């Protein structure tokens, strides 16, 4: 009913342009996998190869043990939801949902049952006799999902299904998609360029850039331990702060100096990186904006706590939190502080805490995590 | 401003009425002459209205006027054109629809070049293809026959109809066909259940185009038709040129009006659809 997907050394070129380089990916049955990356990084191309609308230039693709690399889409038993919905304009909602079943020669009685099941699930019973032109974007999106679900495929593919909806509807449909997946537990690959969607929907996130997979992991892994500076700055909003620094050991303990603009240098302790690094070598320190805390939160923090006095460049009170930007070691740094924990910051500087063990270290040469 | 606007309207309508009058004037003279008797015409005032309108000239044009040696009017030739028009409107429309579907939704290596070459067919002057066409019809054994003339019109129509359908279909979202393929539909299942049902306006454009092209054609008709497959336009020419006895202007005019009537009716009925089809944008999915 639901299938594992194994992609091996998949490559796709259009003439001289290589869009996918040696992609390897294993997806377990029932997983919700989100492919995320900036526009043009090859997400749709990868999805097309998986559904068979496009032939890979090299490499192989298996659903469970079946080699599907060269099968046409209709023999792959998959369903896809498109950004533009792609509902058949001349058909009613019922006919749209039925189409794939009819093509597969399912008897009328069974088809009717299936349409009813799907329509009930998606709460679109009242729309069954409408045409696509008579519905709103959100309704069309539901119908497109219904059409995909009616065939009970072994894999669902979504290509930026929510991009055409307004913000409120997008959140609503996101929940709907999650609910559907929890209900049917069919292997799903979902493409988006929106990192919030990725974090909120995925069991596993695959971050892509320029045709290369950057990292595969759970949302928490991707968020806490980004594999490189690209993932660190692509996932999360505002993105992870990346501060250039140099290794500077004290009594054999790894550390580095941070110099807030207009302030005094402050040595902080760092985790010893897995890769040996000599004193004086450059590295990049990554800190998520929400890792900064008001000093009043000290009792909540574990182990070593570093303290910094940051100059305030711009301060935005957002109700539940304060977001402000500062400058450290010449780099722009943003911080999000819990508004409940401190007074409205006034003055030019603010004293903040963070836990050095929550800091990520990157190699400035390769930009990979150390 | 408020006073100025109606004035500009007056200018526009005045201009339009004037233009319409200039275009309609010859037709009015034709109609009026066709309703006159010969003695009245011989008085020599072409602009006067008929004193005693009669359809006698129309009746004679239809069933009694002489084309060369036989005097049966245009009715047989009119029927010839009707027979000719059915396949020459339907077949290029269907093939154009299929071509347009492939050229817009199933691009293949070189399909753009193929389309460019096909467009060439729209711009080649008729006269250029006459000789090669005659040669080919000779080889096929279709010279001077219904079949030959039909083949010529079908072949000549395909570039135009292909262009209509292709340009209509390129505005479809490409996801439509992709979704149907993932749904499991085949090339022809997609064609019949998704593409054809949304092609109404452009089918009408194509049919009207072929209808008027074939109905009004004289050059192909006079060269490629046989004695018993002559279309009405050739017969009309023969009636007007037949010079036995006195020249019957009223019959000539009546015959011309009868021969032109079908295209006139087609435009009056479906001209709206024609314009709508030509300007129709993407079908929203
Ligand atoms: N059919 C094609 N021919 C040539 N280049 C293509 C084709 N399809 C996609 N590309 C190119 O491949 C790259 C990746 O495209 P795509 O997979 O659509 O990116 P994404 O979905 O991540 O935004 C883009 O640079 C795009 O221009
Ligand atoms: Mg895309």
């Amino acid at each position: 009913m639901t299938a594992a997907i194994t992609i091996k050394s998949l490559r796709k070129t259009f003439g001289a342009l290589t869009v996918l380089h040696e992609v390897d990916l294993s997806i377990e049955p029932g997983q919700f996998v989100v492919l995320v990356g900036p526009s043009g990084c090859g997400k749709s191309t990868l999805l097309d190869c998986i559904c068979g609308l496009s032939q890979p230039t090299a490499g192989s693709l298996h659903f469970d043990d079946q080699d599907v690399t060269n099968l046409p889409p209709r023999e792959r038993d998959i369903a896809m939801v498109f950004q533009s919905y792609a509902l058949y304009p001349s058909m009613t909602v019922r006919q749209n949902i039925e189409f794939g079943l009819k093509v597969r020669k399912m008897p009328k009685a069974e088809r009717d049952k299936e349409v009813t099941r799907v329509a009930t699930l998606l709460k679109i019973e009242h729309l069954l006799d409408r045409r696509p032109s008579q519905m709103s974007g959100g309704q069309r999106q539901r119908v497109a999902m219904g059409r995909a679900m009616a065939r009970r495929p072994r894999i669902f593919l979504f290509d930026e299904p929510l991009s055409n909806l307004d913000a409120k509807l997008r959140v609503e449909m996101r929940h709907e998609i999650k609910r559907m997946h929890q209900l049917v537990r069919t292997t799903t690959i979902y493409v988006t360029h929106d990192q919030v969607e990725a974090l909120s929907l995925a069991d596993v996130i695959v971050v892509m850039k320029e045709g290369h997979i950057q990292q595969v992991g759970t949302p928490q892994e991707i968020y806490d331990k980004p594999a490189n500076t690209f993932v660190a700055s692509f996932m999360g909003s505002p993105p992870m702060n990346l501060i250039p620094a140099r290794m500077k050991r004290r009594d054999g303990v790894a550390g580095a100096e941070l110099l807030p603009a207009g302030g005094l240098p402050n040595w902080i302790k760092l985790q010893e990186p897995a890769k040996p690094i000599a004193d004086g070598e450059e590295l990049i320190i990554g800190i998520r904006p929400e890792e900064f805390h008001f000093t009043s939160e000290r009792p909540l923090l574990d182990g070593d706590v570093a303290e910094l006095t940051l100059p305030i460049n711009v301060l935005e009170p957002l109700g539940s939190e304060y977001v402000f930007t500062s400058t450290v070691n010449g780099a722009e740094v943003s911080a999000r502080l819990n508004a409940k924990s401190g007074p409205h910051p006034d003055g030019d500087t603010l004293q903040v805490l963070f836990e050095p063990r929550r800091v990520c270290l990157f190699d400035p040469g390769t930009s990979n995590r150390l | 401003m408020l006073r100025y606007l109606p004035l500009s309207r007056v200018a526009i309508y005045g201009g339009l009425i004037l233009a319409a009058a200039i275009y309609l004037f010859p037709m009015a003279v034709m109609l009026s002459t066709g309703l006159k008797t010969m003695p009245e015409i011989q008085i020599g005032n072409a602009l006067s209205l008929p004193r005693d309108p009669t359809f006698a000239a129309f009746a004679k044009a239809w069933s009694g006027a002489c084309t060369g040696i036989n005097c049966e009017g245009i009715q047989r030739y009119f029927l010839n054109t009707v027979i000719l028009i059915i396949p020459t409107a339907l077949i290029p429309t269907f093939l154009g629809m299929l071509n347009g579907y492939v050229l817009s939704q199933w691009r293949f290596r070189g399909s753009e070049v193929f389309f460019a070459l096909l467009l060439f067919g729209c711009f080649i002057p008729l006269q250029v293809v006459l000789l090669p066409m005659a040669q080919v019809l000779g080889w096929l054994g279709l010279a001077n026959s219904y079949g030959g003339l039909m083949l010529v019109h079908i072949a000549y129509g395909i570039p135009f109809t292909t262009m209509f359908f292709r340009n209509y279909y390129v505005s479809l979202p490409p996801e439509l066909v992709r979704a149907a393929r993932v749904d499991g539909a085949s090339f022809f299942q997609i064609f019949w259940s998704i593409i054809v049902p949304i092609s109404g306006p452009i089918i009408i454009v194509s049919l009207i185009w072929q209808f008027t092209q074939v109905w009004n054609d004289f050059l192909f008709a006079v060269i490629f038709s046989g004695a018993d497959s002559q279309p009405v336009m050739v017969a009309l020419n023969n009636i007007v040129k037949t010079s036995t006895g006195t020249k019957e202007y009223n019959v000539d005019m009546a015959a011309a009006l009868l021969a032109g009537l079908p295209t006139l009716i087609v435009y009056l009925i479906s001209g709206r659809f024609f314009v709508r089809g030509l300007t129709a944008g993407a079908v929203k999915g």
Side-chain angles (χ1 to χ4, degrees):
Chain A
M1 192 63 215
T2 176
I5 304 173
T6 313
I7 301 170
K8 285 207 190 103
S9 312
L10 188 139
R11 207 151 50 79
K12 178 71 187 174
T13 58
F14 293 108
L17 177 73
T18 302
V19 175
L20 296 172
H21 308 259
E22 303 292 316
V23 170
D24 285 289
L25 186 62
S26 289
I27 296 171
E28 284 165 29
Q31 265 184 342
F32 197 115
V33 175
V34 175
L35 282 181
V36 67
S39 249
C41 72
K43 306 179 297 288
S44 298
T45 305
L46 181 55
L47 215 56
D48 281 0
C49 289
I50 295 172
C51 78
L53 286 172
S54 177
Q55 279 290 308
T57 311
S60 72
L61 176 68
H62 287 77
F63 294 167
D64 290 330
D65 294 331
Q66 184 192 10
D67 184 347
V68 297
T69 317
N70 296 310
L71 289 186
R74 66 165 125 172
E75 286 169 39
R76 297 193 182 197
D77 191 16
I78 42 167
M80 184 146 164
V81 176
F82 296 87
Q83 177 176 347
S84 66
Y85 322 125
L87 299 180
Y88 311 129
S90 62
M91 299 186 198
T92 62
V93 168
R94 174 186 297 281
Q95 290 165 331
N96 262 281
I97 296 176
E98 255 186 342
F99 184 69
L101 307 176
K102 230 172 178 169
V103 164
R104 286 179 165 70
K105 303 207 163 43
M106 185 189 270
K108 173 98 176 92
E110 274 178 64
R111 284 202 318 254
D112 286 346
K113 241 167 74 188
E114 194 59 18
V115 170
T116 310
R117 178 186 77 93
V118 168
T120 316
L121 218 56
L122 285 160
K123 308 190 190 86
I124 49 173
E125 298 105 314
H126 60 296
L127 300 175
L128 284 176
D129 294 320
R130 295 228 196 139
R131 279 176 212 285
S133 56
Q134 302 163 324
M135 293 188 296
S136 70
Q139 290 172 327
R140 289 183 208 184
Q141 187 59 64
R142 273 173 197 273
V143 174
M145 275 171 64
R147 186 173 65 181
M149 292 175 66
R151 293 208 330 264
R152 303 182 190 236
R154 52 180 171 171
I155 294 167
F156 279 125
L157 305 175
F158 290 84
D159 195 350
E160 312 227 9
L162 307 183
S163 304
N164 288 357
L165 301 178
D166 62 47
K168 183 162 166 287
L169 211 50
R170 199 146 58 206
V171 174
E172 190 186 314
M173 288 307 295
R174 203 166 76 201
H175 294 163
E176 193 71 19
I177 289 173
K178 188 140 192 167
R179 183 172 75 90
M180 289 301 137
H181 180 254
Q182 279 161 359
L183 222 58
V184 298
R185 289 277 166 210
T186 302
T187 312
T188 301
I189 303 183
Y190 183 104
V191 162
T192 180
H193 64 265
D194 178 349
Q195 48 95 19
V196 179
E197 251 171 51
L199 291 169
S200 67
L201 283 170
D203 296 325
V204 173
I205 293 180
V206 178
V207 185
M208 288 181 62
K209 179 194 169 197
E210 291 167 7
H212 293 278
I213 291 185
Q214 304 291 306
Q215 188 174 8
V216 180
T218 64
Q220 208 59 52
E221 283 166 359
I222 299 273
Y223 195 78
D224 289 341
K225 297 188 161 46
N228 54 40
T229 53
F230 171 78
V231 178
S233 47
F234 189 74
M235 304 299 287
S237 171
M240 183 181 270
N241 297 303
L242 299 174
I243 306 166
R246 284 177 193 280
M247 177 60 82
K248 186 169 181 183
R249 291 193 170 76
R250 274 193 188 169
D251 308 327
V253 178
E257 235 157 37
L258 294 183
L259 175 63
L264 298 171
N266 201 337
W267 186 85
I268 58 158
K269 193 178 152 189
L270 297 173
Q271 307 277 93
E272 188 64 50
K275 189 179 142 197
I277 287 199
D279 261 21
E281 254 188 82
E282 288 182 7
L283 44 74
I284 293 173
I285 296 176
I287 313 177
R288 292 258 171 226
E290 60 276 17
E291 292 295 341
F292 292 105
H293 302 277
F294 277 115
T295 47
S296 63
E297 289 178 323
R298 187 184 293 270
L300 303 173
L301 306 179
D302 276 353
D304 292 306
V305 175
E307 197 171 318
L308 278 180
T309 304
L310 296 176
I312 297 178
N313 297 349
V314 179
L315 176 80
E316 296 175 293
L318 295 177
S320 67
E321 58 188 15
Y322 299 118
V323 176
F324 78 95
T325 59
S326 183
T327 310
V328 177
N329 288 11
E332 167 124 318
V333 168
S334 65
R336 291 164 64 173
L337 301 171
N338 188 342
K340 289 201 192 88
S341 306
H344 189 286
D346 48 5
D348 300 338
T349 62
L350 185 66
Q351 214 168 18
V352 295
L353 307 177
F354 67 95
E355 295 170 274
R357 67 187 178 86
R358 312 264 314 161
V359 158
C360 301
L361 298 180
F362 301 99
D363 179 338
T366 62
S367 76
N368 287 335
R369 190 185 167 79
L370 287 169
Chain B
M1 197 65 198
L2 272 175
R3 291 172 55 85
Y4 187 71
L5 205 65
L7 202 69
S8 69
R9 284 276 132 158
V10 170
I12 289 171
Y13 282 114
L16 287 176
I17 289 169
L18 187 69
I22 292 172
Y23 276 94
L24 284 176
F25 179 68
M27 205 165 128
V29 173
M30 281 174 75
L31 190 61
S32 141
T33 308
L35 292 171
K36 287 177 185 170
T37 56
M38 269 319 282
E40 192 181 347
I41 291 171
Q42 277 152 353
I43 294 171
N45 189 351
L47 299 185
S48 69
L49 290 176
R51 251 171 304 165
D52 198 7
T54 163
F55 283 100
F58 283 87
K60 186 168 182 195
W62 182 250
S63 54
C66 298
T67 59
I69 45 167
N70 71 52
C71 296
E72 295 171 338
I74 60 166
Q75 64 179 328
R76 190 160 67 85
Y77 308 99
F78 194 93
L79 195 67
N80 280 347
T81 306
V82 171
I83 293 170
L84 179 68
I85 225 117
I86 294 168
T88 52
L90 293 182
I91 293 174
T93 295
F94 178 74
L95 292 179
M97 186 152 48
L98 210 52
N99 284 346
Y101 168 55
V102 171
L103 290 174
S104 64
Q105 304 293 328
W106 296 81
R107 305 262 175 98
F108 48 90
R109 193 183 293 273
S111 61
E112 290 299 301
V113 176
F114 181 84
F115 181 59
L117 289 176
L118 204 80
L119 280 187
F120 221 62
C122 301
F123 300 114
I124 289 185
L126 298 185
Q127 292 78 353
V128 173
V129 299
L130 290 181
L131 272 178
M133 199 80 101
Q135 178 92 68
V136 170
L137 291 181
W139 286 333
L140 294 175
L142 288 172
N144 301 327
S145 71
Y146 266 122
L149 186 56
M150 278 177 193
L151 189 68
V152 170
H153 277 302
I154 289 169
Y156 200 74
I158 287 172
F160 291 92
T161 57
T162 299
M163 178 179 69
F164 296 151
F165 283 100
R166 185 262 185 196
N167 289 351
Y168 188 74
Y169 294 148
V170 281
S171 66
L172 294 178
E175 268 102 25
L176 221 50
V177 167
R178 287 154 49 84
R181 285 175 66 196
V182 175
D183 257 349
S186 65
F187 178 89
F188 279 106
Q189 278 172 326
I190 297 173
F191 180 67
W192 288 115
S193 27
I194 293 163
I195 301 295
V196 175
I198 55 179
S199 306
I202 201 70
I203 289 176
I204 290 181
V205 167
S206 173
L207 288 177
I208 294 177
W209 172 266
Q210 278 303 105
F211 185 96
T212 48
Q213 285 296 107
V214 175
W215 193 281
N216 293 342
D217 164 66
F218 178 72
L219 189 63
F220 283 162
V222 77
I223 291 173
F224 296 120
S225 64
D228 50 52
S229 64
Q230 273 180 356
V232 69
M233 288 303 162
V234 177
L236 178 63
N237 175 64
N238 291 347
I239 286 180
V240 176
K241 284 204 312 201
T242 298
S243 51
T244 46
T246 51
K247 189 113 191 71
E248 295 181 293
Y249 291 108
N250 53 355
V251 175
D252 292 353
M253 295 301 174
L257 281 172
L258 286 173
L261 203 56
T263 32
L264 209 62
I265 290 173
V266 163
Y267 264 109
L268 285 180
I269 293 175
S270 49
R272 280 181 299 141
F273 298 109
F274 188 77
V275 174
R276 204 181 295 165
L278 278 181
T279 55
V283 179
K284 289 271 185 295

mmCIF file of all heavy atoms in Angstrom, chain A residues 111-132:
data_model
loop_
_atom_site.group_PDB
_atom_site.id
_atom_site.type_symbol
_atom_site.label_atom_id
_atom_site.label_comp_id
_atom_site.label_asym_id
_atom_site.label_seq_id
_atom_site.Cartn_x
_atom_site.Cartn_y
_atom_site.Cartn_z
ATOM 1 N N ARG A 111 -16.433 3.438 -7.914
ATOM 2 C CA ARG A 111 -15.976 4.820 -8.103
ATOM 3 C C ARG A 111 -16.794 5.752 -7.237
ATOM 4 O O ARG A 111 -16.262 6.620 -6.551
ATOM 5 C CB ARG A 111 -16.125 5.228 -9.572
ATOM 6 C CG ARG A 111 -15.084 4.649 -10.468
ATOM 7 C CD ARG A 111 -14.929 5.446 -11.748
ATOM 8 N NE ARG A 111 -16.156 5.890 -12.366
ATOM 9 C CZ ARG A 111 -16.675 5.360 -13.478
ATOM 10 N NH1 ARG A 111 -16.073 4.357 -14.083
ATOM 11 N NH2 ARG A 111 -17.786 5.840 -13.995
ATOM 12 N N ASP A 112 -18.104 5.566 -7.277
ATOM 13 C CA ASP A 112 -18.981 6.434 -6.488
ATOM 14 C C ASP A 112 -18.631 6.350 -5.015
ATOM 15 O O ASP A 112 -18.607 7.353 -4.305
ATOM 16 C CB ASP A 112 -20.451 6.032 -6.700
ATOM 17 C CG ASP A 112 -20.937 6.465 -8.068
ATOM 18 O OD1 ASP A 112 -20.232 7.293 -8.704
ATOM 19 O OD2 ASP A 112 -21.996 5.986 -8.515
ATOM 20 N N LYS A 113 -18.352 5.132 -4.555
ATOM 21 C CA LYS A 113 -18.012 4.949 -3.150
ATOM 22 C C LYS A 113 -16.728 5.706 -2.803
ATOM 23 O O LYS A 113 -16.637 6.363 -1.772
ATOM 24 C CB LYS A 113 -17.822 3.450 -2.852
ATOM 25 C CG LYS A 113 -18.807 2.945 -1.805
ATOM 26 C CD LYS A 113 -18.865 1.435 -1.724
ATOM 27 C CE LYS A 113 -17.664 0.789 -1.055
ATOM 28 N NZ LYS A 113 -17.694 -0.675 -1.178
ATOM 29 N N GLU A 114 -15.775 5.601 -3.708
ATOM 30 C CA GLU A 114 -14.476 6.235 -3.486
ATOM 31 C C GLU A 114 -14.617 7.761 -3.469
ATOM 32 O O GLU A 114 -14.032 8.444 -2.623
ATOM 33 C CB GLU A 114 -13.503 5.780 -4.586
ATOM 34 C CG GLU A 114 -12.049 6.078 -4.324
ATOM 35 C CD GLU A 114 -11.505 5.463 -3.055
ATOM 36 O OE1 GLU A 114 -12.123 4.537 -2.517
ATOM 37 O OE2 GLU A 114 -10.450 5.948 -2.589
ATOM 38 N N VAL A 115 -15.413 8.286 -4.417
ATOM 39 C CA VAL A 115 -15.628 9.740 -4.455
ATOM 40 C C VAL A 115 -16.257 10.199 -3.147
ATOM 41 O O VAL A 115 -15.840 11.205 -2.566
ATOM 42 C CB VAL A 115 -16.517 10.135 -5.660
ATOM 43 C CG1 VAL A 115 -16.928 11.597 -5.557
ATOM 44 C CG2 VAL A 115 -15.791 9.867 -6.965
ATOM 45 N N THR A 116 -17.233 9.453 -2.676
ATOM 46 C CA THR A 116 -17.905 9.823 -1.435
ATOM 47 C C THR A 116 -16.922 9.796 -0.266
ATOM 48 O O THR A 116 -16.880 10.716 0.556
ATOM 49 C CB THR A 116 -19.072 8.849 -1.150
ATOM 50 O OG1 THR A 116 -19.859 8.766 -2.327
ATOM 51 C CG2 THR A 116 -19.911 9.330 0.014
ATOM 52 N N ARG A 117 -16.097 8.760 -0.225
ATOM 53 C CA ARG A 117 -15.133 8.640 0.872
ATOM 54 C C ARG A 117 -14.194 9.852 0.903
ATOM 55 O O ARG A 117 -14.044 10.525 1.925
ATOM 56 C CB ARG A 117 -14.308 7.367 0.689
ATOM 57 C CG ARG A 117 -13.229 7.171 1.756
ATOM 58 C CD ARG A 117 -12.342 5.977 1.433
ATOM 59 N NE ARG A 117 -11.371 6.261 0.395
ATOM 60 C CZ ARG A 117 -10.108 6.682 0.606
ATOM 61 N NH1 ARG A 117 -9.702 6.859 1.839
ATOM 62 N NH2 ARG A 117 -9.295 6.917 -0.389
ATOM 63 N N VAL A 118 -13.617 10.138 -0.264
ATOM 64 C CA VAL A 118 -12.641 11.224 -0.347
ATOM 65 C C VAL A 118 -13.296 12.572 -0.063
ATOM 66 O O VAL A 118 -12.753 13.409 0.657
ATOM 67 C CB VAL A 118 -11.980 11.210 -1.736
ATOM 68 C CG1 VAL A 118 -11.192 12.469 -1.951
ATOM 69 C CG2 VAL A 118 -11.095 9.992 -1.881
ATOM 70 N N ALA A 119 -14.496 12.765 -0.611
ATOM 71 C CA ALA A 119 -15.187 14.046 -0.435
ATOM 72 C C ALA A 119 -15.521 14.275 1.030
ATOM 73 O O ALA A 119 -15.414 15.394 1.536
ATOM 74 C CB ALA A 119 -16.449 14.083 -1.292
ATOM 75 N N THR A 120 -15.905 13.199 1.724
ATOM 76 C CA THR A 120 -16.222 13.329 3.143
ATOM 77 C C THR A 120 -14.962 13.688 3.929
ATOM 78 O O THR A 120 -14.954 14.584 4.764
ATOM 79 C CB THR A 120 -16.800 11.998 3.684
ATOM 80 O OG1 THR A 120 -17.736 11.512 2.733
ATOM 81 C CG2 THR A 120 -17.456 12.193 5.023
ATOM 82 N N LEU A 121 -13.896 12.964 3.611
ATOM 83 C CA LEU A 121 -12.615 13.182 4.277
ATOM 84 C C LEU A 121 -12.166 14.637 4.168
ATOM 85 O O LEU A 121 -11.685 15.237 5.118
ATOM 86 C CB LEU A 121 -11.587 12.280 3.603
ATOM 87 C CG LEU A 121 -10.532 11.622 4.459
ATOM 88 C CD1 LEU A 121 -11.169 10.811 5.575
ATOM 89 C CD2 LEU A 121 -9.671 10.714 3.583
ATOM 90 N N LEU A 122 -12.351 15.205 2.978
ATOM 91 C CA LEU A 122 -11.841 16.555 2.725
ATOM 92 C C LEU A 122 -12.920 17.616 2.873
ATOM 93 O O LEU A 122 -12.686 18.787 2.598
ATOM 94 C CB LEU A 122 -11.238 16.625 1.322
ATOM 95 C CG LEU A 122 -9.875 15.946 1.212
ATOM 96 C CD1 LEU A 122 -9.562 15.626 -0.228
ATOM 97 C CD2 LEU A 122 -8.787 16.841 1.790
ATOM 98 N N LYS A 123 -14.104 17.204 3.274
ATOM 99 C CA LYS A 123 -15.231 18.125 3.457
ATOM 100 C C LYS A 123 -15.521 18.918 2.191
ATOM 101 O O LYS A 123 -15.631 20.150 2.208
ATOM 102 C CB LYS A 123 -14.942 19.081 4.627
ATOM 103 C CG LYS A 123 -14.525 18.345 5.901
ATOM 104 C CD LYS A 123 -14.495 19.304 7.083
ATOM 105 C CE LYS A 123 -13.857 18.693 8.302
ATOM 106 N NZ LYS A 123 -12.382 18.821 8.353
ATOM 107 N N ILE A 124 -15.646 18.227 1.078
ATOM 108 C CA ILE A 124 -15.980 18.910 -0.180
ATOM 109 C C ILE A 124 -17.228 18.294 -0.814
ATOM 110 O O ILE A 124 -17.462 18.446 -2.011
ATOM 111 C CB ILE A 124 -14.813 18.860 -1.199
ATOM 112 C CG1 ILE A 124 -14.284 17.433 -1.340
ATOM 113 C CG2 ILE A 124 -13.703 19.806 -0.804
ATOM 114 C CD1 ILE A 124 -13.246 17.273 -2.439
ATOM 115 N N GLU A 125 -18.041 17.609 -0.003
ATOM 116 C CA GLU A 125 -19.243 16.969 -0.563
ATOM 117 C C GLU A 125 -20.117 17.976 -1.298
ATOM 118 O O GLU A 125 -20.683 17.661 -2.342
ATOM 119 C CB GLU A 125 -20.100 16.331 0.534
ATOM 120 C CG GLU A 125 -19.436 15.228 1.320
ATOM 121 C CD GLU A 125 -19.043 15.714 2.702
ATOM 122 O OE1 GLU A 125 -18.471 16.815 2.804
ATOM 123 O OE2 GLU A 125 -19.315 14.990 3.689
ATOM 124 N N HIS A 126 -20.222 19.190 -0.735
ATOM 125 C CA HIS A 126 -21.126 20.176 -1.313
ATOM 126 C C HIS A 126 -20.586 20.764 -2.611
ATOM 127 O O HIS A 126 -21.267 21.524 -3.283
ATOM 128 C CB HIS A 126 -21.384 21.290 -0.300
ATOM 129 C CG HIS A 126 -20.122 22.005 0.123
ATOM 130 N ND1 HIS A 126 -19.111 21.373 0.807
ATOM 131 C CD2 HIS A 126 -19.708 23.273 -0.081
ATOM 132 C CE1 HIS A 126 -18.126 22.226 1.020
ATOM 133 N NE2 HIS A 126 -18.461 23.386 0.492
ATOM 134 N N LEU A 127 -19.357 20.425 -2.974
ATOM 135 C CA LEU A 127 -18.763 21.020 -4.183
ATOM 136 C C LEU A 127 -18.768 20.061 -5.365
ATOM 137 O O LEU A 127 -18.353 20.425 -6.464
ATOM 138 C CB LEU A 127 -17.303 21.422 -3.907
ATOM 139 C CG LEU A 127 -17.071 22.429 -2.796
ATOM 140 C CD1 LEU A 127 -15.579 22.619 -2.567
ATOM 141 C CD2 LEU A 127 -17.717 23.758 -3.159
ATOM 142 N N LEU A 128 -19.256 18.837 -5.163
ATOM 143 C CA LEU A 128 -19.049 17.787 -6.163
ATOM 144 C C LEU A 128 -19.547 18.129 -7.568
ATOM 145 O O LEU A 128 -19.005 17.640 -8.553
ATOM 146 C CB LEU A 128 -19.688 16.476 -5.694
ATOM 147 C CG LEU A 128 -18.878 15.746 -4.618
ATOM 148 C CD1 LEU A 128 -19.621 14.511 -4.119
ATOM 149 C CD2 LEU A 128 -17.500 15.360 -5.138
ATOM 150 N N ASP A 129 -20.581 18.976 -7.660
ATOM 151 C CA ASP A 129 -21.112 19.266 -8.994
ATOM 152 C C ASP A 129 -20.589 20.578 -9.565
ATOM 153 O O ASP A 129 -21.000 20.994 -10.640
ATOM 154 C CB ASP A 129 -22.641 19.289 -8.947
ATOM 155 C CG ASP A 129 -23.179 17.905 -8.635
ATOM 156 O OD1 ASP A 129 -22.619 16.933 -9.175
ATOM 157 O OD2 ASP A 129 -24.123 17.790 -7.820
ATOM 158 N N ARG A 130 -19.671 21.217 -8.854
ATOM 159 C CA ARG A 130 -19.118 22.475 -9.374
ATOM 160 C C ARG A 130 -17.987 22.209 -10.344
ATOM 161 O O ARG A 130 -17.351 21.157 -10.312
ATOM 162 C CB ARG A 130 -18.562 23.297 -8.218
ATOM 163 C CG ARG A 130 -19.622 23.729 -7.264
ATOM 164 C CD ARG A 130 -19.499 25.193 -6.951
ATOM 165 N NE ARG A 130 -20.274 25.477 -5.753
ATOM 166 C CZ ARG A 130 -19.858 26.282 -4.799
ATOM 167 N NH1 ARG A 130 -18.699 26.892 -4.907
ATOM 168 N NH2 ARG A 130 -20.615 26.503 -3.745
ATOM 169 N N ARG A 131 -17.721 23.236 -11.143
ATOM 170 C CA ARG A 131 -16.546 23.185 -12.009
ATOM 171 C C ARG A 131 -15.418 23.990 -11.365
ATOM 172 O O ARG A 131 -15.673 24.865 -10.548
ATOM 173 C CB ARG A 131 -16.897 23.755 -13.380
ATOM 174 C CG ARG A 131 -17.585 22.735 -14.233
ATOM 175 C CD ARG A 131 -18.027 23.275 -15.567
ATOM 176 N NE ARG A 131 -19.244 22.587 -15.967
ATOM 177 C CZ ARG A 131 -19.261 21.333 -16.425
ATOM 178 N NH1 ARG A 131 -18.122 20.673 -16.567
ATOM 179 N NH2 ARG A 131 -20.386 20.753 -16.738
ATOM 180 N N PRO A 132 -14.174 23.707 -11.766
ATOM 181 C CA PRO A 132 -13.039 24.403 -11.144
ATOM 182 C C PRO A 132 -13.177 25.918 -11.180
ATOM 183 O O PRO A 132 -12.823 26.599 -10.214
ATOM 184 C CB PRO A 132 -11.855 23.948 -11.993
ATOM 185 C CG PRO A 132 -12.249 22.604 -12.502
ATOM 186 C CD PRO A 132 -13.732 22.667 -12.709
#
